[in-house]
Amino acid sequence: MAKDKIFLKDEVEANKGMAWGCLIAAILLTILWICYVTHIFPMRSRAFVEISFPFNILLLCTPVIFIKTKYIEKPGFKYFVLILFSFVIALVNVAIPKHGILGWGALIVLTSHYRSPKMLGFMTTVTLVLMAICLGFGMLIGEWDSNLMGVSDLDFHNYILNGHEANPDVLEDRFYWLNHYLEYRPESSNRWLSAFGFYYGGRAASLLLISFISIQLCNRNKKLLINEASAINEKGKIDADLNIACQIQQQALPREFPEVDEFDVFALMQAAKEVGGDFYDLYKTGATQLAFTVADVSGKGVPAALFMMKS
């Protein structure tokens, strides 16, 4: 029971961390979008960025709305946030392919909050697949990257593609260029394969390294949670034993006191901790005489307490 509660609490905290992480990503994406639309960062293919970025920002702001609700505790919330974040990163990666690795790395790091190596491995696989798909779409409709396309956007205008001047902003021209690259650059290799080798290979290796490190941290943190749950269970057993010991101790102390005409007498032992170290007894030694004993063995251990009770 304690283990289940700890893991549930940890998952809720991870959900909150993911929600706030999405909000921070939305803020960063807003700054980047402003830099593009105000021409601080030059970009030739602007239409997709100007359309997709506001939509992505809105999506990233969605999870934080549920932080104060019960939905944050639902088992499906983590899948909702991870799928949403993956979708947004995919769109951003299509728009700006050369910067997408930062988003994919953030997705893996955020997934590690759930301390589940299986989920982290699954999201790493999803990330590698999505990154490959987004690379192809990014080369066709995203920001022009001369390293991926094999030519700068300015030099691209000098080529004649299928009977007309090449335009880097036209999808058909990009597709024709990539498929007929060897006709214009005979000394080179297939552009699709070169782009995937240049972009995908190194970045996939980096993501796998991040994932491997994150999985090791997940395993370590999961063991810590299990140890914490075991410690709580043990503490519960100790508390129960101490509660019984306290009841035994209270029953060993006198609760009925001798009656004396000249005065009334009452005694009470209130333990500062689970079990106290104070003992007392009251008894008559004559018609008008009352004797009492008080002893303190606090901090002296169980043997001293047993000896005091025997005495």
Side-chain angles (χ1 to χ4, degrees), residues 87-258:
F87 178 73
V88 170
I89 295 302
L91 292 178
V92 173
N93 197 196
V94 170
I96 45 176
K98 59 185 176 182
H99 300 303
I101 184 64
L102 300 176
W104 297 123
L107 175 60
I108 292 177
V109 171
L110 288 174
T111 305
S112 66
H113 279 69
Y114 291 103
R115 310 180 198 275
S116 173
K118 290 183 179 180
M119 178 177 288
L120 191 55
F122 172 75
M123 289 307 301
T124 300
T125 303
V126 171
T127 297
L128 294 175
V129 173
L130 287 178
M131 189 170 66
I133 295 173
C134 293
L135 174 58
F137 283 102
M139 294 172 67
L140 294 175
I141 62 177
E143 178 188 12
W144 185 277
D145 187 349
S146 58
N147 291 319
L148 292 177
M149 304 300 293
V151 63
S152 67
D153 58 343
L154 296 177
D155 293 337
F156 190 62
H157 286 284
N158 299 326
Y159 290 93
I160 302 298
L161 304 182
N162 203 20
H164 66 275
E165 181 182 316
N167 185 350
D169 297 329
V170 177
L171 183 151
E172 291 79 4
D173 287 357
R174 293 191 183 194
F175 189 71
Y176 186 89
W177 168 261
L178 292 170
N179 288 333
H180 298 81
Y181 184 75
L182 292 178
E183 297 178 10
Y184 299 93
R185 300 287 180 87
E187 72 284 357
S188 302
S189 57
N190 183 280
R191 195 62 222 160
W192 288 105
L193 295 178
S194 298
F196 270 84
F198 167 79
Y199 177 95
Y200 188 80
R203 287 160 175 76
S206 298
L207 288 176
L208 287 173
L209 177 61
I210 295 174
S211 177
F212 175 78
I213 295 174
S214 298
I215 288 175
Q216 302 306 311
L217 291 175
C218 279
N219 286 326
R220 179 176 178 274
N221 291 333
K222 190 173 182 179
K223 290 180 180 178
L224 291 176
L225 283 178
I226 294 175
N227 292 337
E228 182 181 350
S230 299
I232 291 177
N233 284 331
E234 291 298 325
K235 184 177 183 299
K237 294 178 181 178
I238 294 174
D239 289 342
D241 291 341
L242 289 175
N243 184 44
I244 295 174
C246 182
Q247 294 177 15
I248 294 174
Q249 182 186 36
Q250 291 290 349
Q251 292 174 359
L253 295 173
R255 287 176 291 180
E256 297 181 359
F257 305 101

Side-chain angles (χ1 to χ4, degrees), residues 250 253-254 257 266-271 278 280 282:
Q250 291 290 349
L253 295 173
F257 305 101
F266 178 79
L268 173 68
M269 196 279 291
Q270 185 68 43
D278 298 327
Y280 61 83
L282 301 169

